[in-house]
Amino acid sequence: MSHLVAELPVPTGTQPGRTGRGGRSRQERLAYRILLPALGTVFLIVTIPFVIAIWQSITSDDGTLIGLRNYTRALGNPLFFDALRATGLYASIVLPTEILLGLAFALFVHRTVKQAGLRATLYVLAVLPLVVPPVAVGVVARLIYAPGYGVLNYVLQSVGITHSEIQWLGVPALAMGSVASVDIWQWTPFVYLVLFAGLQTVPRESIEAAQVDGATWWTQFRYIELHYLRPLFLLILFFRVADVLRVFDHVYILTGGGPGTATQLLSLYIYRIEFRFFDGGQAAALAVMVLVSISILYSLVTRALPLERA
Amino acid sequence: MRSRQAAIAIRLILIVAGLGVAGFLYAFPLYWLIATSLKSKAELYQSITLFPRHPTLQPYYSVLFERGFWVLLKNSVLVCAATVLVTLAVGLVITYPITRLTVPPSLRVGVLNWALSLRFLPPVAVVVPYFAIVRTLQIYNQPIALIGIYSLFNLPFAIWMLKGFLAEIPLELEEAALVDGANRWTSFRRVLLPLAGPGLMAAATIVFTFAWSEFLFALILTATPNSQTFPVGVQGLVTQFEIIWNDMAAAGVIAMTVPLLLMVIGRRYMVAGLTFGVIREK
């Protein structure tokens, strides 16, 4: 039986079962045999486009090398900076709003709602917007803001707040607000869910001790709960920034990037360069720059994330 | 004493008002979508009505059959189902060795980190090269192009979710099968897979939901109704010259019904999936 025992899985973390000094166990060899083909294939599928993008960015359409000309064109395009500005503005509207609102709801529900049934209902209600396709959310927004048939103007006019038709999608600031409101509607529940779950991990004893000492709800939050939520804020920021960079669907549906370039976020801009201006070289240069910046950003923040990697 | 009571009363009123506004802002958009989808064409041309006067399912019929969107619905289901199969299969092949076999911890961490980094990849940055690849391979306007790309982009979620589920199944159960003379494949198929069933189901619903919602690649890589997915059809209703609001709303309702139904199964795992397992089910 002894040869069989050597094959048995062992608790992870320890390394018995090795056949010799520096040698690999049978299990490890099996693991590599399974992993390598799969990982290799996925790695190729991910990497080849990146190589192609770099190649496209330094060649012209007929395949001759043109150096960094596409990059200078991409960086020399004022629309690029409009797109960066729009993306930054969008992020600076939606991220703080979502985090503050989500935090407020999480704290409120955590403090006031004690019934398990009601909490479960709120959980389902919060998950709901997350699974609605952004295209459908864009349709809803269109029904609300669109000129002519938008219900928002109808409501505002019938309560007498305004008498004229407000161009929600026709004025740059309002259009940005409309587009951002869609994001806030869809993603505030995500922040709520994460922070609410975080609040459940705060030990009850420390809260009770603080209350005995006469802590107000603010000091209780500031000195105890915030401590437990801090890594989660980082996590939320990480995922939401990644998502802001990929926002496309609802903006495309709602404003198409307009009026002018007011809501032309980075993703819509690259799309437009490639599929409206058919400028593959410039689009590739943009794609490479985005990929490089994302990789740098990613490597900076990833270690700080509270993820279970074991 | 009275001023304190007044302060409490004011605070209560503010809280109730705040919750009322929040509830309204949350629910009204959904209500309005459904209400609009139940209006008849005649009602659209009158002034706006907050409640449909004569609710009708005509817009749904019009979208699905007169406009032929049921074909897009079929395409979407096909693409999503195939994506789920590919993603889970590849996900299992990658997570099985790192959770069930003795491997150096650095390998496990490396694989998981790498999967996480894929989550950060903005699709629009790879749209340009993928478009070139798809045209070179001559799979433009074919479902297979979407299936491949959706599988790739959903793989990070699948890997992290499956890793969580597989790690929870005691190693002893598989060991017992091995001792009884089963080989690894049999013990994987007969012991591990059935135990991982609920987890696989959860991952499947979430991958299906994400694939269902995808729009950018579907917009770029398909051109005809034979391969377009449902969101692309919805988009077509929005951007055409004259918008038929009730049809558009009906299409929106159909688009969100499928993920909502799936949520009945997957809701407990939704947040775990979105946060890569940081927030576990409750």
Side-chain angles (χ1 to χ4, degrees):
Chain A
M1 280 301 278
S2 63
H3 66 283
L4 244 178
V5 174
E7 283 182 19
L8 292 182
V10 286
T12 47
T14 52
Q15 296 280 332
R18 279 181 183 270
T19 46
R21 208 172 251 263
R24 292 199 172 121
S25 71
R26 287 186 58 167
Q27 278 205 24
E28 216 176 319
R29 281 201 306 269
L30 178 64
Y32 283 113
R33 262 211 319 276
I34 303 174
L35 262 181
L36 284 180
L39 281 182
T41 313
V42 180
F43 183 76
L44 276 183
I45 296 176
V46 176
T47 314
I48 288 175
F50 192 56
V51 175
I52 291 180
I54 294 176
W55 177 251
Q56 283 179 324
S57 73
I58 54 169
T59 55
S60 64
D61 287 342
D62 53 16
T64 47
L65 281 170
I66 54 166
L68 296 178
R69 210 178 304 157
N70 280 326
Y71 289 87
T72 51
R73 276 196 316 131
L75 288 173
N77 195 335
L79 290 178
F80 174 55
F81 296 95
D82 284 352
L84 282 185
R85 210 172 300 132
T87 311
L89 182 62
Y90 183 89
S92 62
I93 297 173
V94 303
L95 298 182
T97 314
E98 285 166 8
I99 290 177
L100 285 178
L101 274 180
L103 175 65
F105 282 121
L107 277 174
F108 180 76
V109 174
H110 178 65
R111 299 272 164 87
T112 57
V113 178
K114 299 295 177 199
Q115 304 92 316
L118 191 51
R119 283 186 171 198
T121 312
L122 288 171
Y123 175 87
V124 172
L125 286 178
V127 170
L128 192 143
L130 298 175
V131 298
V132 178
V135 167
V137 189
V139 165
V140 179
R142 196 94 199 179
L143 288 169
I144 291 173
Y145 294 116
Y149 198 75
V151 70
L152 182 57
N153 274 333
Y154 170 77
V155 171
L156 291 180
Q157 280 166 358
S158 40
V159 263
I161 294 177
T162 168
H163 296 291
S164 56
E165 177 106 323
I166 299 175
Q167 294 296 320
W168 293 104
L169 306 177
V171 179
L174 292 178
M176 180 53 92
S178 309
V179 164
S181 72
V182 177
D183 198 293
I184 293 166
W185 182 85
Q186 187 154 37
W187 287 100
T188 300
F190 171 73
V191 178
Y192 160 78
L193 287 167
V194 172
L195 293 182
F196 182 75
L199 285 171
Q200 309 315 307
T201 63
V202 179
R204 189 167 290 164
E205 302 80 57
S206 42
I207 292 291
E208 278 163 4
Q211 281 167 347
V212 170
D213 291 344
T216 63
W217 76 265
W218 170 251
T219 45
Q220 188 181 320
F221 168 69
R222 172 72 186 76
Y223 294 103
I224 304 172
E225 285 157 340
L226 190 59
H227 173 73
Y228 287 88
L229 296 184
R230 199 164 289 145
L232 295 181
F233 280 119
L234 195 71
L235 181 93
I236 291 168
L237 213 55
F238 177 82
F239 283 118
R240 293 303 299 134
V241 168
D243 287 335
V244 163
L245 290 171
R246 51 170 59 182
V247 166
F248 181 85
D249 312 3
H250 75 261
V251 186
Y252 184 85
I253 299 266
L254 193 52
T255 64
T261 57
T263 57
Q264 187 161 284
L265 307 184
L266 201 54
S267 48
L268 280 103
Y269 175 67
I270 299 179
Y271 171 82
R272 196 166 160 210
I273 294 285
E274 165 85 10
F275 296 100
R276 290 288 171 269
F277 296 154
F278 303 106
D279 190 342
Q282 199 186 149
L286 287 166
V288 171
M289 289 192 286
V290 169
L291 283 171
V292 169
S293 339
I294 294 288
S295 312
I296 294 172
L297 189 67
Y298 174 78
S299 56
L300 285 180
V301 293
T302 175
R303 299 208 179 286
L305 287 177
L307 294 173
E308 248 179 71
R309 290 190 174 84
Chain B
M1 201 62 191
R2 183 165 296 166
S3 72
R4 208 181 136 184
Q5 273 175 357
I8 290 174
I10 287 172
R11 215 166 72 180
L12 203 67
I13 289 168
L14 282 179
I15 288 174
V16 170
L19 287 180
V21 170
F24 178 78
L25 292 180
Y26 170 87
F28 182 77
L30 294 173
Y31 163 75
W32 188 240
L33 182 71
I34 295 168
T36 310
S37 76
L38 295 174
K39 289 178 180 173
S40 66
K41 219 150 255 170
E43 199 172 334
L44 291 183
Y45 294 108
Q46 299 156 6
S47 72
I48 293 177
T49 44
L50 286 181
F51 306 97
R53 286 218 188 95
H54 310 287
T56 167
L57 291 176
Q58 215 284 322
Y60 291 88
Y61 181 81
S62 156
V63 164
L64 286 179
F65 301 107
E66 285 165 22
R67 292 178 190 271
F69 273 34
W70 66 271
V71 180
L72 307 190
L73 210 54
K74 212 179 61 191
N75 294 339
S76 267
V77 170
L78 172 83
V79 166
C80 295
T83 301
V84 166
L85 288 180
V86 175
T87 313
L88 291 190
V90 178
L92 274 175
V93 167
I94 292 177
T95 44
Y96 177 81
I98 62 169
T99 52
R100 314 301 293 180
L101 299 174
T102 325
V103 293
S106 60
L107 176 71
R108 185 166 41 237
V109 174
V111 169
L112 290 173
N113 276 342
W114 178 70
L116 181 68
S117 74
L118 284 182
R119 164 68 177 79
F120 221 31
L121 191 69
V124 78
V126 290
V127 148
V128 180
Y130 274 124
F131 188 60
I133 292 175
V134 163
R135 273 195 315 190
T136 314
L137 295 177
Q138 300 187 331
I139 51 171
Y140 178 71
N141 200 24
Q142 286 180 28
I144 183 104
L146 291 182
I147 295 167
I149 288 171
Y150 291 180
S151 304
L152 182 68
F153 274 91
N154 281 306
L155 196 57
F157 292 105
I159 289 178
W160 278 74
M161 286 189 78
L162 293 178
K163 163 226 146 199
F165 291 125
L166 292 188
E168 277 167 13
I169 300 169
L171 285 171
E172 289 78 21
L173 294 171
E174 254 182 301
E175 283 166 25
L178 290 175
V179 172
D180 287 345
N183 62 23
R184 282 229 161 251
W185 169 243
T186 320
S187 72
F188 169 77
R189 210 162 46 90
R190 290 284 181 73
V191 180
L192 193 63
L193 268 193
L195 288 170
L200 285 171
M201 203 57 208
T205 54
I206 285 173
V207 170
F208 195 100
T209 303
F210 289 157
W212 182 267
S213 297
E214 206 287 332
F215 172 64
L216 177 62
F217 284 114
L219 176 71
I220 288 163
L221 299 179
T222 60
T224 60
N226 285 333
S227 57
Q228 279 172 338
T229 60
F230 201 77
V232 180
V234 176
Q235 175 270 149
L237 289 180
V238 179
T239 48
Q240 67 185 0
F241 183 66
E242 189 200 8
I243 295 178
I244 310 296
W245 298 100
N246 57 353
D247 283 11
M248 183 180 103
V253 172
I254 298 170
M256 69 182 207
T257 304
V258 172
L260 288 184
L261 289 179
L262 284 175
M263 205 185 74
V264 175
I265 311 170
R267 64 177 185 279
R268 286 170 63 222
Y269 307 97
M270 194 67 209
V271 184
L274 282 171
T275 59
F276 283 70
V278 174
I279 307 299
R280 305 306 295 266
E281 76 223 58
K282 40 178 271 174

